[in-house]
Amino acid sequence: MTEQTAEQRIHELSLKINYHNALYYQENRSEISDYEFDMLLEELIRLEAQFPQFKKEDSPSQRVGGTITKDFPTVRHKYPMLSLGNTYSEEELLDFDKRIKKILESEGLNLEEIEYVCELKFDGVSISLTYQDGKLLRAVTRGDGIEGDDITPNAKTIRSLPLSIKGDQFPAEFEVRGEVFMPNKVFEELNRQRAEEGKELYANPRNTASGTLKLQDSAEVARRKLDMYLYFLLGENIPYKTHAESIKTIESWGFQVSPTYRLCRDIEAVIEYIKYWEKERKNLPLETDGVVIKVNSLNLQEVLGFTSKSPRWAIAYKYKAESTSTRLNGITFQVGRTGAVTPVAELEPVFLAGTTVKRASLHNANEIERLDLRLGDTVFVEKGGEIIPKVTGVDLTKRDPQSQTLVYIQNCPECNTALIRKEGEAVHFCPNIKACPPQVKGRIQHFIQRKALDIESLGEGIITQLYDHQLVKDPADLYDLKFDQLVNLERFAEKSAQNLVDGIAASKNVPFDRVLFGLGIRFVGGTVARKLSEAFKNIDALAKASLEELTQVEDIGEKIAESVLEFFADPDNQKLIQRLKTAGLQFEAIGKSYALQSNQLEGKTFVISGVFQQFGRDELKDKIEAHGGKVVSSISKKLDYLLAGDKMGPSKLEKAQKLHVSLISEAEFLGMIGEATTSEGE
């Protein structure tokens, strides 16, 4: 075969395979048998191996895998992948609708414009797909919502995922989000094969899909036959006005969209949709656990905005969890890294919602007392959100009349220190934070986790080993470890010892916000750590901050602020930070990638409200900060300017006028920083 003939045949085969693939996944029909399809694919693979110069990045042969990936690079999401707030009742849905209307009414908007799009909430793995010039550039997992893993070679094996999109009317770069899942039939067949081989069965389709996406061999990923549904389009200057319109568009580009979504005119129609699918979802080929409700108008979505954790314009309705009953054999107590003591029910094993349940959370002493639990009781167990098992009640008809009421423990099960219970809190705590083994090890585990210092080669087992040999008793001790100390320990060879030393050294480059999170300050999660690092810039300024200064930071309430003050007041914590500083960790925030353009807005504060002609709110925020200003979330006497766009809420306007805050338009703001406005027609 000549090169010209080979190139032409490769092109023909690619077109045929893509056509039949789209027919199968988008229209649910086939014109050829599976065998005929496989023969076309085999011929393509053979020709591409013989003539590799004609193999393209978006070739259908990519779907068979073969790439070996030992490390999955971490990628920062261009747009954060936030989680959704959950609700379990119609009343809470109605409250959600009322909140939406109240916010929009305060912004002076027409409430008749509110429509909702309902989509089934699939029990899979969230993924973000970036396309450039119509071809798949990158596939990234959700991760912590800010950063995820680049699993592109594995994602390419999913046959319903377009490697290149249809048509020519699309942005130069855009992002599509969706859910990767393992169909129930594939999961059942996989477990059947494992049972025949005498291997342990997989727990459920979701966890299996998640593990499959992180396999090193993409050929094995291809054999697992993952699938996906897409449900969200993102990008700059997307020319659509509604979510429903954008979903239809990505469907026309070749993305597989679940046909179960529906445009609902009001919240009553949303509730009808939920009731319909509560039973019908059992007939679907994959697991679902609820419904996602989104405001349809993209303009209204922008006005509603986000909290620190989730969009205000969307919510997830969770279906009632499956429930069963089993025997309570005993109660054990676990001590977490913060000292919180959690009672755990030890159960007679029972199958529930796809997994075998042996243990379930009892939360705290109040819950045990409320349920009046007794050993030997027959208890009702369900999975909260169909994930975490919990005891919800007792079958009193089966109770032994001679059973005794349970008494909650008074001392720590690990170090025997007397437990404490703060006023107004339900949880018992062990106050021995510096010597209670689970707390000491838990604090180190928290410090080295991926979202914090991300120290490779250091897991729970190694931490226990180092602790037992009295080599590590706090996070700072890690930076004193030497190769010679490690290489003589059990399970350590020269290579593993050197890997750990190198991993600890590499962690010195982790940015300040992740180091701050790693310190394990109570109530300071990843998002709060980022906000504190952005507000105070370095650890010294944060340590000196007052309660008032802390609570002025967006989303920082008194509870968090008091915890921060308590942490920095502890002399042992002060010594820890000093040792970590000496070790070379990052305790100063690095600013945004842009350079400060001017100091024209230095010391000035702004609130942004309304819809603008030239820029989105985030773009305006960046401009304010690039010229030395600061954006805050609420109007107060100290505010310098209210940057007012169209459809700004009358309540904000009234408050700003009452407090004599200066109102400026988009054009006036641009004049302040020396930028001209763009007139229509330019």
Side-chain angles (χ1 to χ4, degrees):
M1 181 178 286
T2 65
E3 285 195 357
Q4 184 177 358
T5 307
E7 183 178 16
Q8 184 177 348
R9 181 57 180 163
I10 287 172
H11 179 69
E12 290 173 357
L13 286 167
S14 296
L15 289 177
K16 279 186 179 182
I17 293 168
N18 284 333
Y19 167 77
H20 290 297
N21 210 47
L23 203 66
Y24 180 83
Y25 284 103
Q26 288 197 278
E27 300 182 28
N28 199 28
R29 62 189 181 92
S30 301
E31 293 180 352
I32 59 175
S33 67
D34 288 348
Y35 174 79
E36 290 172 304
F37 182 89
D38 290 341
M39 289 301 100
L40 291 174
L41 190 56
E42 280 187 20
E43 184 184 354
L44 175 63
I45 293 168
R46 188 172 63 252
L47 283 174
E48 286 180 340
Q50 191 176 348
F51 300 94
Q53 66 269 36
F54 302 130
K55 183 177 180 179
K56 296 182 178 180
E57 287 186 10
D58 59 344
S59 168
S61 63
Q62 296 286 309
R63 302 191 184 282
V64 301
T67 304
I68 301 297
T69 307
K70 292 190 176 180
D71 295 302
F72 295 93
T74 298
V75 176
R76 191 174 182 86
H77 294 296
K78 186 174 183 180
Y79 310 98
M81 294 185 75
L82 301 178
S83 56
L84 295 177
N86 292 330
T87 178
Y88 295 87
S89 69
E90 289 184 17
E91 291 75 15
E92 290 175 343
L93 269 183
L94 294 172
D95 288 341
F96 166 73
D97 183 56
K98 288 175 184 175
R99 285 198 304 274
I100 294 291
K101 290 176 178 175
K102 185 177 180 180
I103 294 171
L104 296 180
E105 194 171 24
S106 71
E107 297 283 350
L109 298 176
N110 183 4
L111 300 185
E112 293 180 3
E113 296 179 11
I114 302 176
E115 296 176 323
Y116 295 106
V117 173
C118 286
E119 303 162 348
L120 286 177
K121 188 174 182 297
F122 302 114
D123 198 15
V125 182
S126 296
I127 195 167
S128 167
L129 308 171
T130 300
Y131 284 77
Q132 207 170 64
D133 299 325
K135 294 182 179 180
L136 177 66
L137 174 68
R138 186 168 50 246
V140 182
T141 61
R142 181 182 182 275
D144 64 0
I146 302 299
E147 296 177 331
D149 291 330
D150 187 336
I151 45 94
T152 307
N154 287 349
K156 284 182 175 180
T157 68
I158 302 173
R159 293 199 172 188
S160 57
L161 186 159
L163 302 179
S164 57
I165 62 175
K166 296 191 295 186
D168 54 9
Q169 298 297 312
F170 50 80
E173 184 173 309
F174 64 89
E175 187 176 325
V176 179
R177 290 179 179 171
E179 205 81 3
V180 175
F181 61 89
M182 178 170 281
N184 289 337
K185 284 186 177 180
V186 175
F187 175 74
E188 290 162 7
E189 175 60 21
L190 191 59
N191 263 350
R192 187 190 64 77
Q193 292 173 5
R194 291 182 71 82
E196 289 178 356
E197 296 167 5
K199 295 179 180 178
E200 184 179 352
L201 302 186
Y202 289 124
N204 55 58
R206 191 223 173 269
N207 289 354
T208 310
S210 178
T212 298
L213 281 176
K214 296 298 291 290
L215 291 175
Q216 293 184 353
D217 184 357
S218 61
E220 178 59 28
V221 179
R223 285 190 283 271
R224 298 281 183 91
K225 298 179 182 177
L226 295 176
D227 206 342
M228 66 163 44
Y229 283 137
L230 287 305
Y231 50 66
F232 202 53
L233 173 65
L234 286 161
E236 303 296 328
N237 302 315
I238 297 294
Y240 309 112
K241 294 183 178 180
T242 67
H243 177 67
E245 187 181 358
S246 68
I247 291 302
K248 288 180 180 177
T249 299
I250 65 172
E251 198 169 11
S252 71
W253 289 345
F255 292 96
Q256 183 174 235
V257 174
S258 170
T260 57
Y261 77 91
R262 183 192 299 174
L263 178 62
C264 297
R265 299 297 176 187
D266 51 36
I267 199 68
E268 286 74 22
V270 169
I271 292 171
E272 286 179 16
Y273 177 94
I274 289 170
K275 288 179 177 177
Y276 173 81
W277 281 107
E278 186 166 12
K279 292 182 179 179
E280 289 297 317
R281 69 194 179 102
K282 302 295 183 183
N283 299 321
L284 293 172
L286 74 161
E287 297 293 320
T288 64
D289 59 4
V291 173
V292 175
I293 301 103
K294 301 172 183 173
V295 170
N296 188 35
S297 166
L298 300 184
N299 178 45
L300 295 186
Q301 286 185 12
E302 184 176 353
V303 172
L304 290 164
F306 302 82
T307 68
S308 62
K309 295 182 179 179
S310 58
R312 291 193 179 92
W313 42 265
I315 196 168
Y317 178 92
K318 293 295 209 59
Y319 287 118
K320 184 173 174 55
E322 290 185 32
S323 179
T324 189
S325 63
T326 189
R327 187 179 188 275
L328 176 64
N329 291 330
I331 294 178
T332 54
F333 295 86
Q334 294 180 338
V335 183
R337 71 171 180 85
T338 63
V341 177
T342 305
V344 177
E346 302 293 340
L347 306 168
E348 194 68 27
V350 62
F351 195 75
L352 175 63
T355 62
T356 298
V357 174
K358 300 176 183 177
R359 311 177 83 213
S361 173
L362 291 171
H363 301 294
N364 51 57
N366 287 354
E367 187 69 0
I368 292 175
E369 185 178 347
R370 183 185 72 81
L371 295 169
D372 185 25
L373 283 179
R374 304 181 186 186
L375 295 185
D377 274 347
T378 296
V379 295
F380 297 110
V381 184
E382 69 176 39
K383 285 190 176 180
E386 300 192 17
I387 298 173
I388 303 170
K390 61 182 179 181
V391 174
T392 58
V394 178
D395 188 345
L396 296 176
T397 64
K398 297 180 180 179
R399 169 170 282 175
D400 182 349
Q402 303 300 317
S403 61
Q404 299 293 313
T405 301
L406 288 165
V407 178
Y408 203 87
I409 59 172
Q410 299 299 307
N411 294 78
C412 175
E414 296 286 344
C415 67
N416 205 38
T417 302
L419 300 179
I420 62 171
R421 191 178 186 182
K422 293 182 179 180
E423 187 177 349
E425 294 190 3
V427 178
H428 285 75
F429 284 89
C430 171
N432 187 17
I433 61 174
K434 292 160 188 173
C436 182
Q439 295 189 64
V440 174
K441 290 185 283 186
R443 189 179 185 185
I444 297 169
Q445 282 176 238
H446 176 78
F447 182 81
I448 62 95
Q449 67 162 288
R450 186 169 185 180
K451 296 178 185 177
L453 277 293
D454 191 20
I455 300 178
E456 294 184 6
S457 307
L458 186 55
E460 183 178 350
I462 300 296
I463 289 172
T464 297
Q465 188 178 11
L466 295 173
Y467 177 82
D468 291 344
H469 282 79
Q470 299 183 348
L471 292 172
V472 171
K473 60 183 183 301
D474 65 35
D477 287 339
L478 293 169
Y479 297 91
D480 294 331
L481 288 174
K482 301 292 188 291
F483 173 84
D484 291 343
Q485 292 174 301
L486 297 171
V487 75
N488 293 319
L489 296 177
E490 186 182 350
R491 293 189 295 172
F492 271 95
E494 288 191 7
K495 184 175 181 181
S496 54
Q498 190 60 51
N499 285 343
L500 180 51
V501 170
D502 292 343
I504 292 171
S507 72
K508 296 178 183 180
N509 298 317
V510 166
F512 173 40
D513 64 300
R514 284 170 53 189
V515 177
L516 182 60
F517 170 62
L519 292 176
I521 304 172
R522 198 174 180 205
F523 307 128
V524 176
T527 300
V528 170
R530 277 192 294 274
K531 289 185 180 294
L532 289 173
S533 68
E534 290 171 1
F536 294 98
K537 307 303 181 187
N538 62 66
I539 196 75
D540 294 329
L542 177 59
K544 294 174 184 175
S546 65
L547 181 69
E548 183 182 2
E549 289 170 330
L550 287 165
T551 53
Q552 284 179 351
V553 179
E554 185 180 9
D555 296 327
I556 308 299
E558 282 196 15
K559 188 177 180 181
I560 297 174
E562 287 171 355
S563 178
V564 172
L565 291 172
E566 185 179 337
F567 178 87
F568 285 107
D570 187 323
D572 287 332
N573 290 333
Q574 294 169 12
K575 290 177 185 176
L576 173 70
I577 290 169
Q578 187 55 52
R579 289 181 64 201
L580 292 173
K581 277 185 178 180
T582 303
L585 273 70
Q586 303 297 316
F587 281 105
E588 187 165 347
I590 298 172
K592 292 199 175 186
S593 58
Y594 56 70
L596 190 66
Q597 295 176 25
S598 79
N599 60 358
Q600 289 174 302
L601 305 180
E602 187 175 354
K604 302 298 183 185
T605 55
F606 294 77
V607 163
I608 304 172
S609 181
V611 180
F612 299 88
Q613 295 294 319
Q614 289 185 238
F615 304 100
R617 295 188 189 189
D618 287 342
E619 291 175 296
L620 289 170
K621 181 177 183 290
D622 287 345
K623 284 186 176 293
I624 290 168
E625 292 175 351
H627 291 277
K630 183 178 179 181
V631 177
V632 296
S633 57
S634 58
I635 296 171
S636 67
K637 287 182 180 179
K638 296 181 180 179
L639 184 68
D640 293 300
Y641 298 104
L642 172 59
L643 178 48
D646 294 336
K647 302 178 181 178
M648 184 186 69
S651 61
K652 284 186 178 176
L653 177 60
E654 183 181 347
K655 187 173 183 180
Q657 290 172 335
K658 185 177 179 180
L659 297 175
H660 304 291
V661 173
S662 297
L663 268 71
I664 57 171
S665 66
E666 184 178 14
E668 288 171 326
F669 166 71
L670 293 174
M672 289 172 67
I673 60 175
E675 291 190 16
T677 58
T678 302
S679 60
E680 290 186 26
E682 285 188 338

